[in-house]
Protein backbone atom coordinates (compact mmCIF):
# COMPACT_ATOMS: atom_id res chain seq x y z
CA UNK A 1 0.00 0.00 0.00
CA UNK A 2 2.78 2.39 0.94
CA UNK A 3 4.45 1.56 -2.36
CA UNK A 4 1.27 2.46 -4.26
CA UNK A 5 0.97 5.78 -2.41
CA UNK A 6 4.60 6.65 -3.26
CA UNK A 7 4.01 5.80 -6.92
CA UNK A 8 0.91 8.01 -6.96
CA UNK A 9 2.77 10.99 -5.51
CA UNK A 10 5.66 10.51 -7.96
CA UNK A 11 3.19 10.46 -10.87
CA UNK A 12 1.39 13.56 -9.52
CA UNK A 13 4.63 15.52 -9.11
CA UNK A 14 5.65 14.54 -12.68
CA UNK A 15 2.39 15.95 -14.02
CA UNK A 16 3.02 19.23 -12.21
CA UNK A 17 6.55 19.48 -13.62
CA UNK A 18 5.36 18.82 -17.15
CA UNK A 19 2.64 21.42 -16.82
CA UNK A 20 5.09 24.01 -15.57
CA UNK A 21 7.34 23.39 -18.58
CA UNK A 22 4.58 24.35 -21.02
CA UNK A 23 3.44 27.53 -19.30
CA UNK A 24 2.93 30.68 -21.32
CA UNK A 25 5.74 32.94 -20.09
CA UNK A 26 3.32 35.89 -20.02
CA UNK A 27 1.20 34.21 -17.33
CA UNK A 28 0.89 36.27 -14.15
CA UNK A 29 -0.63 35.26 -10.80
CA UNK A 30 -2.11 32.17 -12.37
CA UNK A 31 -3.84 34.02 -15.20
CA UNK A 32 -3.00 33.05 -18.76
CA UNK A 33 -1.78 36.02 -20.78
CA UNK A 34 -3.34 36.56 -24.20
CA UNK A 35 0.18 37.21 -25.57
CA UNK A 36 2.50 34.44 -26.75
CA UNK A 37 6.18 34.89 -27.50
CA UNK A 38 7.18 34.81 -31.16
CA UNK A 39 9.92 32.18 -31.04
CA UNK A 40 7.39 29.70 -29.63
CA UNK A 41 5.03 30.36 -32.53
CA UNK A 42 7.77 30.04 -35.16
CA UNK A 43 8.84 26.72 -33.67
CA UNK A 44 5.39 25.28 -34.38
CA UNK A 45 6.14 25.28 -38.10
CA UNK A 46 7.72 22.03 -39.24
CA UNK A 47 7.13 22.35 -42.96
CA UNK A 48 3.34 22.31 -43.06
CA UNK A 49 0.90 25.17 -42.55
CA UNK A 50 -0.18 25.56 -38.92
CA UNK A 51 -3.59 26.80 -37.72
CA UNK A 52 -2.89 29.03 -34.73
CA UNK A 53 -5.68 27.85 -32.46
CA UNK A 54 -5.59 28.84 -28.78
CA UNK A 55 -4.90 25.25 -27.80
CA UNK A 56 -1.59 25.36 -29.67
CA UNK A 57 -0.66 28.72 -28.18
CA UNK A 58 -1.09 27.82 -24.49
CA UNK A 59 -4.32 29.79 -24.42
CA UNK A 60 -2.86 32.92 -26.01
CA UNK A 61 -4.37 34.79 -28.97
CA UNK A 62 -1.86 37.60 -29.65
CA UNK A 63 1.74 38.27 -30.62
CA UNK A 64 3.52 41.40 -29.40
CA UNK A 65 6.53 43.06 -30.99
CA UNK A 66 7.99 46.12 -32.68
CA UNK A 67 7.51 46.90 -36.36
CA UNK A 68 10.86 46.91 -38.18
CA UNK A 69 9.61 47.46 -41.77
CA UNK A 70 9.01 50.99 -43.06
CA UNK A 71 5.79 51.46 -45.03
CA UNK A 72 6.86 54.93 -46.21
CA UNK A 73 9.88 53.65 -48.18
CA UNK A 74 7.96 51.60 -50.72
CA UNK A 75 10.36 48.67 -50.28
CA UNK A 76 7.79 46.45 -48.58
CA UNK A 77 4.37 45.21 -49.63
CA UNK A 78 1.57 47.58 -48.60
CA UNK A 79 -0.37 44.77 -46.92
CA UNK A 80 2.53 43.41 -44.84
CA UNK A 81 4.40 44.22 -41.64
CA UNK A 82 7.68 42.75 -40.41
CA UNK A 83 7.53 42.50 -36.63
CA UNK A 84 10.40 41.62 -34.28
CA UNK A 85 10.14 40.32 -30.72
CA UNK A 86 12.62 39.37 -28.02
CA UNK A 87 11.61 36.74 -25.43
CA UNK A 88 13.72 34.47 -23.27
CA UNK A 89 16.79 36.19 -24.81
CA UNK A 90 15.79 34.96 -28.26
CA UNK A 91 15.20 37.45 -31.08
CA UNK A 92 12.60 36.43 -33.65
CA UNK A 93 10.77 38.05 -36.52
CA UNK A 94 7.73 37.22 -38.66
CA UNK A 95 6.02 38.81 -41.65
CA UNK A 96 2.31 39.48 -41.11
CA UNK A 97 0.21 39.45 -44.26
CA UNK A 98 -3.07 41.36 -43.96
CA UNK A 99 -6.22 41.44 -46.04
CA UNK A 100 -6.00 45.23 -46.44
CA UNK A 101 -3.25 47.82 -46.88
CA UNK A 102 -1.35 49.61 -44.16
CA UNK A 103 -2.30 53.25 -43.68
CA UNK A 104 -1.34 53.93 -40.07
CA UNK A 105 1.27 51.52 -38.62
CA UNK A 106 4.81 52.86 -38.85
CA UNK A 107 8.33 51.68 -38.33
CA UNK A 108 9.10 51.66 -34.59
CA UNK A 109 5.51 51.10 -33.47
CA UNK A 110 5.07 48.62 -30.62
CA UNK A 111 2.06 46.47 -31.48
CA UNK A 112 -0.08 43.56 -30.39
CA UNK A 113 -1.66 41.54 -33.18
CA UNK A 114 -4.63 39.17 -32.83
CA UNK A 115 -3.64 35.87 -34.47
CA UNK A 116 -6.26 33.42 -33.22
CA UNK A 117 -7.05 30.86 -35.97
CA UNK A 118 -4.65 32.54 -38.39
CA UNK A 119 -2.22 30.43 -40.41
CA UNK A 120 1.54 30.18 -39.89
CA UNK A 121 3.10 29.30 -43.24
CA UNK A 122 5.91 29.97 -45.68
CA UNK A 123 5.25 31.97 -48.84
CA UNK A 124 8.03 31.86 -51.44
CA UNK A 125 10.30 30.77 -48.63
CA UNK A 126 9.53 33.57 -46.16
CA UNK A 127 7.77 32.74 -42.87
CA UNK A 128 4.49 34.62 -42.55
CA UNK A 129 1.18 34.72 -40.69
CA UNK A 130 -2.04 35.27 -42.61
CA UNK A 131 -5.77 34.85 -42.05
CA UNK A 132 -9.08 35.50 -43.75
CA UNK A 133 -9.93 37.94 -40.98
CA UNK A 134 -6.43 39.34 -40.43
CA UNK A 135 -6.99 43.02 -41.23
CA UNK A 136 -5.18 46.00 -39.76
CA UNK A 137 -8.11 46.35 -37.39
CA UNK A 138 -6.50 43.38 -35.58
CA UNK A 139 -3.39 45.48 -34.84
CA UNK A 140 -3.32 47.33 -31.53
CA UNK A 141 -0.64 50.05 -31.42
CA UNK A 142 0.73 50.22 -27.87
CA UNK A 143 3.52 52.78 -28.35
CA UNK A 144 5.52 54.57 -31.04
CA UNK A 145 9.13 55.44 -31.85
CA UNK A 146 10.64 52.37 -30.27
CA UNK A 147 14.33 52.04 -31.18
CA UNK A 148 15.44 48.56 -32.19
CA UNK A 149 19.20 48.03 -32.14
CA UNK A 150 20.31 45.84 -35.05
CA UNK A 151 22.41 42.78 -34.44
CA UNK A 152 25.85 43.44 -35.95
CA UNK A 153 27.18 40.50 -37.94
CA UNK A 154 29.59 39.83 -40.75
CA UNK A 155 28.16 38.84 -44.11
CA UNK A 156 29.68 35.38 -43.65
CA UNK A 157 28.02 34.97 -40.24
CA UNK A 158 24.69 36.07 -41.69
CA UNK A 159 25.02 33.59 -44.54
CA UNK A 160 25.93 30.65 -42.30
CA UNK A 161 23.09 31.29 -39.81
CA UNK A 162 20.52 32.94 -42.07
CA UNK A 163 17.60 30.95 -40.63
CA UNK A 164 18.04 32.51 -37.18
CA UNK A 165 18.38 36.04 -38.58
CA UNK A 166 15.35 35.77 -40.89
CA UNK A 167 12.96 38.73 -40.63
CA UNK A 168 14.97 40.51 -37.91
CA UNK A 169 17.01 43.71 -38.02
CA UNK A 170 20.74 43.26 -38.67
CA UNK A 171 23.72 45.39 -39.67
CA UNK A 172 26.62 44.43 -41.93
CA UNK A 173 29.67 46.63 -42.42
CA UNK A 174 31.90 47.52 -45.37
CA UNK A 175 30.03 45.65 -48.08
CA UNK A 176 31.33 45.85 -51.64
CA UNK A 177 29.49 44.92 -54.83
CA UNK A 178 31.89 42.97 -57.06
CA UNK A 179 29.45 42.65 -59.96
CA UNK A 180 28.98 46.39 -60.46
CA UNK A 181 30.14 47.85 -63.75
CA UNK A 182 29.26 51.40 -62.79
CA UNK A 183 26.17 53.55 -62.61
CA UNK A 184 23.89 50.72 -61.45
CA UNK A 185 20.80 51.62 -59.44
CA UNK A 186 19.44 50.12 -56.23
CA UNK A 187 16.42 48.65 -58.05
CA UNK A 188 16.66 44.85 -58.33
CA UNK A 189 18.90 42.25 -56.69
CA UNK A 190 22.67 42.77 -56.43
CA UNK A 191 25.13 40.32 -54.90
CA UNK A 192 26.67 41.61 -51.68
CA UNK A 193 30.32 41.06 -50.77
CA UNK A 194 33.33 39.80 -52.67
CA UNK A 195 33.38 36.24 -51.34
CA UNK A 196 32.13 34.03 -54.17
CA UNK A 197 30.56 31.39 -51.90
CA UNK A 198 28.51 33.89 -49.84
CA UNK A 199 25.36 34.45 -51.86
CA UNK A 200 23.27 37.20 -50.27
CA UNK A 201 21.59 39.81 -52.45
CA UNK A 202 20.68 43.38 -51.63
CA UNK A 203 17.06 43.45 -52.82
CA UNK A 204 15.20 46.65 -53.68
CA UNK A 205 11.70 46.86 -55.12
CA UNK A 206 11.21 49.08 -58.14
CA UNK A 207 8.59 50.95 -56.08
CA UNK A 208 11.08 51.93 -53.35
CA UNK A 209 11.64 55.68 -53.14
CA UNK A 210 15.40 55.09 -53.41
CA UNK A 211 15.22 52.52 -56.24
CA UNK A 212 16.52 54.96 -58.87
CA UNK A 213 19.49 56.13 -56.80
CA UNK A 214 22.99 54.90 -57.63
CA UNK A 215 24.46 52.05 -55.63
CA UNK A 216 27.59 52.86 -53.64
CA UNK A 217 30.80 50.99 -54.38
CA UNK A 218 31.21 50.25 -50.70
CA UNK A 219 28.93 50.87 -47.74
CA UNK A 220 27.55 49.53 -44.50
CA UNK A 221 23.91 48.47 -44.40
CA UNK A 222 21.07 47.86 -41.97
CA UNK A 223 18.18 45.77 -43.10
CA UNK A 224 16.00 42.68 -42.86
CA UNK A 225 17.20 39.28 -44.16
CA UNK A 226 14.48 37.22 -45.82
CA UNK A 227 14.08 34.24 -48.10
CA UNK A 228 12.68 34.28 -51.62
CA UNK A 229 11.91 31.19 -53.68
CA UNK A 230 10.36 31.94 -57.05
CA UNK A 231 9.17 28.38 -57.68
CA UNK A 232 8.13 26.98 -54.29
CA UNK A 233 7.61 27.80 -50.63
CA UNK A 234 10.69 25.95 -49.39
CA UNK A 235 13.19 28.19 -47.64
CA UNK A 236 16.12 25.80 -47.90
CA UNK A 237 16.32 26.24 -51.68
CA UNK A 238 15.44 29.95 -51.64
CA UNK A 239 17.50 32.99 -52.58
CA UNK A 240 18.86 34.90 -49.59
CA UNK A 241 17.77 38.54 -49.70
CA UNK A 242 18.69 41.59 -47.63
CA UNK A 243 16.06 44.36 -47.68
CA UNK A 244 16.82 47.90 -46.52
CA UNK A 245 14.01 49.54 -44.56
CA UNK A 246 14.68 52.90 -46.19
CA UNK A 247 17.43 54.95 -47.82
CA UNK A 248 19.04 55.79 -44.45
CA UNK A 249 19.92 52.11 -44.00
CA UNK A 250 22.95 52.65 -46.27
CA UNK A 251 25.76 54.56 -44.54
CA UNK A 252 29.54 55.05 -44.59
CA UNK A 253 29.26 55.07 -48.36
CA UNK A 254 31.98 55.30 -50.95
CA UNK A 255 30.53 57.05 -53.96
CA UNK A 256 28.84 55.11 -56.72
CA UNK A 257 29.76 55.62 -60.34
CA UNK A 258 27.68 58.25 -62.11
CA UNK A 259 24.82 57.04 -64.28
CA UNK A 260 25.85 56.07 -67.84
CA UNK A 261 29.50 55.72 -66.84
CA UNK A 262 31.85 54.22 -67.84
CA UNK A 263 31.83 56.24 -71.02
CA UNK A 264 32.78 53.75 -73.74
CA UNK A 265 32.66 56.26 -76.64
CA UNK A 266 30.48 53.89 -78.65
CA UNK A 267 27.35 56.00 -79.17
CA UNK A 268 28.75 58.25 -81.94
CA UNK A 269 29.98 56.72 -85.19
CA UNK A 270 33.68 57.00 -85.97
CA UNK A 271 32.75 59.30 -88.85
CA UNK A 272 31.51 61.89 -86.31
CA UNK A 273 35.16 62.63 -85.47
CA UNK A 274 37.27 61.37 -88.33
CA UNK A 275 39.66 64.34 -88.47
CA UNK A 276 42.02 65.35 -85.68
CA UNK A 277 40.83 68.97 -85.84
CA UNK A 278 37.24 69.89 -86.82
CA UNK A 279 36.76 73.66 -86.30
CA UNK A 280 33.20 73.61 -87.69
CA UNK A 281 32.00 71.60 -84.69
CA UNK A 282 34.61 72.89 -82.26
CA UNK A 283 35.67 69.22 -82.05
CA UNK A 284 32.52 68.38 -80.03
CA UNK A 285 30.97 64.89 -80.11
CA UNK A 286 27.86 63.68 -78.23
CA UNK A 287 28.21 60.38 -76.36
CA UNK A 288 25.95 58.63 -73.82
CA UNK A 289 27.27 60.63 -70.85
CA UNK A 290 27.16 64.02 -72.60
CA UNK A 291 29.17 66.08 -75.07
CA UNK A 292 32.95 65.74 -75.11
CA UNK A 293 35.56 67.87 -76.90
CA UNK A 294 38.16 65.79 -78.73
CA UNK A 295 40.93 68.18 -79.78
CA UNK A 296 43.72 66.69 -81.89
CA UNK A 297 41.98 63.34 -81.63
CA UNK A 298 39.66 61.04 -83.55
CA UNK A 299 37.34 58.14 -82.81
CA UNK A 300 39.59 55.20 -83.59
CA UNK A 301 37.89 52.01 -84.76
CA UNK A 302 40.67 50.06 -86.45
CA UNK A 303 40.69 46.43 -85.30
CA UNK A 304 44.05 45.26 -83.93
CA UNK A 305 45.24 48.87 -83.89
CA UNK A 306 43.10 50.91 -81.50
CA UNK A 307 42.89 49.68 -77.92
CA UNK A 308 39.19 49.53 -77.09
CA UNK A 309 37.42 47.21 -74.69
CA UNK A 310 36.68 43.66 -75.92
CA UNK A 311 32.94 44.24 -76.18
CA UNK A 312 33.30 47.57 -78.01
CA UNK A 313 34.46 48.65 -81.43
CA UNK A 314 36.14 52.01 -80.89
CA UNK A 315 38.11 54.27 -78.57
CA UNK A 316 39.52 57.79 -78.62
CA UNK A 317 42.87 58.15 -80.42
CA UNK A 318 44.94 61.25 -79.63
CA UNK A 319 47.54 62.50 -82.15
CA UNK A 320 51.26 61.85 -81.90
CA UNK A 321 54.31 64.17 -82.21
CA UNK A 322 52.46 67.42 -81.46
CA UNK A 323 54.05 70.51 -79.97
CA UNK A 324 50.69 71.39 -78.38
CA UNK A 325 48.47 69.37 -76.07
CA UNK A 326 45.82 67.01 -77.37
CA UNK A 327 42.67 66.74 -75.25
CA UNK A 328 39.67 64.58 -74.57
CA UNK A 329 37.56 66.81 -72.38
CA UNK A 330 34.09 66.72 -70.79
CA UNK A 331 31.91 69.62 -71.89
CA UNK A 332 29.57 69.14 -68.94
CA UNK A 333 29.74 69.11 -65.14
CA UNK A 334 29.00 66.27 -62.73
CA UNK A 335 27.02 67.66 -59.81
CA UNK A 336 28.15 65.47 -56.89
CA UNK A 337 31.90 65.91 -57.04
CA UNK A 338 34.26 62.97 -57.51
CA UNK A 339 35.96 60.38 -55.31
CA UNK A 340 37.68 58.34 -58.01
CA UNK A 341 38.37 58.36 -61.77
CA UNK A 342 39.36 55.33 -63.81
CA UNK A 343 39.98 54.80 -67.52
CA UNK A 344 41.72 52.47 -69.93
CA UNK A 345 44.77 53.69 -71.84
CA UNK A 346 47.07 52.14 -74.41
CA UNK A 347 49.29 52.72 -77.45
CA UNK A 348 47.67 52.21 -80.86
CA UNK A 349 49.59 49.75 -83.02
CA UNK A 350 50.55 52.27 -85.70
CA UNK A 351 54.12 51.25 -86.42
CA UNK A 352 56.50 51.21 -83.49
CA UNK A 353 55.06 51.11 -79.96
CA UNK A 354 56.02 54.62 -78.89
CA UNK A 355 55.03 55.95 -75.47
CA UNK A 356 53.42 59.27 -74.72
CA UNK A 357 52.87 61.25 -71.54
CA UNK A 358 49.55 62.50 -70.27
CA UNK A 359 47.82 64.04 -67.24
CA UNK A 360 44.35 63.79 -65.72
CA UNK A 361 42.99 67.27 -64.94
CA UNK A 362 39.79 68.66 -63.47
CA UNK A 363 37.92 71.98 -63.55
CA UNK A 364 35.34 73.43 -61.19
CA UNK A 365 34.69 76.66 -63.10
CA UNK A 366 33.14 75.24 -66.25
CA UNK A 367 36.45 74.51 -67.98
CA UNK A 368 38.05 77.95 -67.60
CA UNK A 369 40.92 76.70 -65.44
CA UNK A 370 42.25 73.19 -64.88
CA UNK A 371 44.14 71.43 -62.06
CA UNK A 372 46.32 68.37 -62.43
CA UNK A 373 45.45 65.18 -60.50
CA UNK A 374 48.33 63.05 -59.23
CA UNK A 375 51.38 62.26 -61.35
CA UNK A 376 51.84 62.25 -65.10
CA UNK A 377 51.66 58.83 -66.77
CA UNK A 378 54.11 57.65 -69.42
CA UNK A 379 53.37 54.27 -70.95
CA UNK A 380 54.64 52.07 -73.75
CA UNK A 381 53.32 48.53 -73.97
CA UNK A 382 51.34 46.37 -76.33
CA UNK A 383 48.32 45.91 -74.04
CA UNK A 384 45.94 48.49 -72.61
CA UNK A 385 46.14 49.31 -68.90
CA UNK A 386 43.74 50.70 -66.29
CA UNK A 387 44.48 54.08 -64.72
CA UNK A 388 43.06 54.70 -61.23
CA UNK A 389 43.05 58.18 -59.66
CA UNK A 390 41.69 58.70 -56.16
CA UNK A 391 40.39 62.24 -55.77
CA UNK A 392 38.39 64.22 -53.24
CA UNK A 393 36.49 66.91 -55.09
CA UNK A 394 33.19 68.35 -53.83
CA UNK A 395 30.71 70.26 -55.93
CA UNK A 396 30.35 70.46 -59.72
CA UNK A 397 33.35 69.07 -61.57
CA UNK A 398 34.47 68.02 -65.05
CA UNK A 399 37.57 66.11 -66.20
CA UNK A 400 39.88 65.92 -69.17
CA UNK A 401 42.94 64.00 -70.31
CA UNK A 402 45.78 66.25 -71.42
CA UNK A 403 48.25 64.45 -73.72
CA UNK A 404 51.34 66.60 -73.43
CA UNK A 405 52.76 68.26 -76.55
CA UNK A 406 56.36 67.13 -76.21
CA UNK A 407 57.17 67.59 -79.90
CA UNK A 408 58.40 65.18 -82.59
CA UNK A 409 59.88 61.82 -81.67
CA UNK A 410 63.68 61.92 -81.29
CA UNK A 411 66.29 59.88 -79.52
CA UNK A 412 65.39 61.73 -76.34
CA UNK A 413 61.69 62.44 -76.89
CA UNK A 414 58.84 59.91 -77.02
CA UNK A 415 55.50 61.32 -78.13
CA UNK A 416 53.41 58.57 -79.69
CA UNK A 417 49.69 58.05 -80.18
CA UNK A 418 47.38 57.43 -77.21
CA UNK A 419 44.10 55.50 -76.93
CA UNK A 420 41.57 56.25 -74.17
CA UNK A 421 38.47 54.14 -73.38
CA UNK A 422 35.99 53.30 -70.59
CA UNK A 423 36.23 56.60 -68.71
CA UNK A 424 34.46 56.27 -65.33
CA UNK A 425 33.83 58.87 -62.60
CA UNK A 426 32.62 58.04 -59.08
CA UNK A 427 30.56 60.42 -56.95
CA UNK A 428 31.88 61.97 -53.75
CA UNK A 429 29.49 61.25 -50.88
CA UNK A 430 31.33 63.36 -48.30
Amino acid sequence: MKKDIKSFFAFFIGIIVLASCSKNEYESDGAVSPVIYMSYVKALHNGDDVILAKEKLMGATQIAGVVISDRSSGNFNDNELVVQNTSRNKISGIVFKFTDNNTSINYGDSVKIDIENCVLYRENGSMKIKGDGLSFAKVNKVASDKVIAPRIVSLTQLYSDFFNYENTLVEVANIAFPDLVGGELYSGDVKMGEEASVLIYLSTKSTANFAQKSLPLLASFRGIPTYYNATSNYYNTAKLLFKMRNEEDAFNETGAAYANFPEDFELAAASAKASYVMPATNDMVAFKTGTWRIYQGIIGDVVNVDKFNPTGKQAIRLKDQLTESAYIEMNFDLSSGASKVTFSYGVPALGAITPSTFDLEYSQDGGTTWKKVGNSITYAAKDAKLAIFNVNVSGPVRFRINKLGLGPNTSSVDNGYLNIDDFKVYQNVN
Side-chain angles (χ1 to χ4, degrees), residues 159-180:
Y159 181 76
S160 62
D161 199 18
F162 201 87
F163 181 87
N164 287 318
Y165 289 106
E166 178 192 9
N167 295 327
T168 66
L169 186 61
V170 302
E171 178 180 314
V172 289
N174 301 321
I175 303 301
F177 296 94
D179 295 336
L180 293 190

Side-chain angles (χ1 to χ4, degrees), residues 36-46 50 52 56-57 60 62-63 92 94 96 115 120 127-129:
I36 188 70
Y37 52 98
M38 193 174 291
S39 58
Y40 179 92
V41 176
K42 291 188 69 173
L44 294 174
H45 193 273
N46 60 1
V50 180
L52 299 176
K56 293 183 178 178
L57 304 179
Q62 296 178 328
I63 284 181
S92 301
I94 294 179
F96 291 81
I115 60 168
L120 177 70
M127 183 167 285
K128 299 183 179 182
I129 291 176

Side-chain angles (χ1 to χ4, degrees), residues 152-155 171-176 218-222 251-252:
I152 300 175
V153 296
S154 70
L155 204 63
E171 178 180 314
V172 289
N174 301 321
I175 303 301
L218 180 75
S220 298
F221 295 92
R222 300 185 186 97
F251 58 102
N252 294 337

Side-chain angles (χ1 to χ4, degrees), residues 22 24 36 89 117 126 154 180 211 216 249 291 311 313 316 336 355 399:
S22 62
N24 181 342
I36 188 70
N89 295 318
N117 295 323
S126 179
S154 70
L180 293 190
D249 273 341
T291 301
T311 61
K313 61 182 181 179
I316 304 304
S336 298
F399 289 91

Side-chain angles (χ1 to χ4, degrees), residues 37-230:
Y37 52 98
M38 193 174 291
S39 58
Y40 179 92
V41 176
K42 291 188 69 173
L44 294 174
H45 193 273
N46 60 1
D48 298 321
D49 295 355
V50 180
I51 305 297
L52 299 176
K54 289 176 65 174
E55 294 76 17
K56 293 183 178 178
L57 304 179
M58 295 183 286
T61 59
Q62 296 178 328
I63 284 181
V66 176
V67 177
I68 58 172
S69 53
D70 186 351
R71 70 181 179 92
S72 67
S73 73
N75 204 30
F76 296 86
N77 294 335
D78 291 336
N79 66 332
E80 293 184 347
L81 292 178
V82 187
V83 179
Q84 179 173 310
N85 167 279
T86 303
S87 293
R88 296 185 175 182
N89 295 318
K90 185 173 179 61
I91 298 173
S92 301
I94 294 179
V95 178
F96 291 81
K97 185 173 183 178
F98 297 89
T99 57
D100 53 349
N101 289 339
N102 184 13
T103 59
S104 60
I105 304 300
N106 299 310
Y107 163 71
D109 285 346
S110 178
V111 297
K112 292 182 180 179
I113 304 175
D114 295 328
I115 60 168
E116 185 176 7
N117 295 323
C118 287
V119 179
L120 177 70
Y121 73 115
R122 283 195 179 272
E123 181 179 70
N124 297 118
S126 179
M127 183 167 285
K128 299 183 179 182
I129 291 176
K130 67 178 180 180
D132 292 339
L134 186 60
S135 69
F136 275 92
K138 300 282 188 175
V139 180
N140 176 28
K141 182 161 63 175
V142 178
S144 299
D145 300 322
K146 293 292 184 179
V147 177
I148 294 291
R151 288 184 283 179
I152 300 175
V153 296
S154 70
L155 204 63
T156 302
Q157 289 172 323
L158 177 59
Y159 181 76
S160 62
D161 199 18
F162 201 87
F163 181 87
N164 287 318
Y165 289 106
E166 178 192 9
N167 295 327
T168 66
L169 186 61
V170 302
E171 178 180 314
V172 289
N174 301 321
I175 303 301
F177 296 94
D179 295 336
L180 293 190
V181 175
E184 288 88 348
L185 306 178
Y186 272 98
S187 183
D189 295 346
V190 184
K191 182 185 179 302
M192 304 176 74
E194 296 180 302
E195 190 172 340
S197 61
V198 176
L199 301 177
I200 299 177
Y201 297 85
L202 182 67
S203 182
T204 306
K205 294 181 65 175
S206 60
T207 55
N209 55 21
F210 55 93
Q212 298 305 306
K213 293 184 178 295
S214 296
L215 274 167
L217 288 175
L218 180 75
S220 298
F221 295 92
R222 300 185 186 97
I224 301 170
T226 190
Y227 293 100
Y228 179 74
N229 193 329

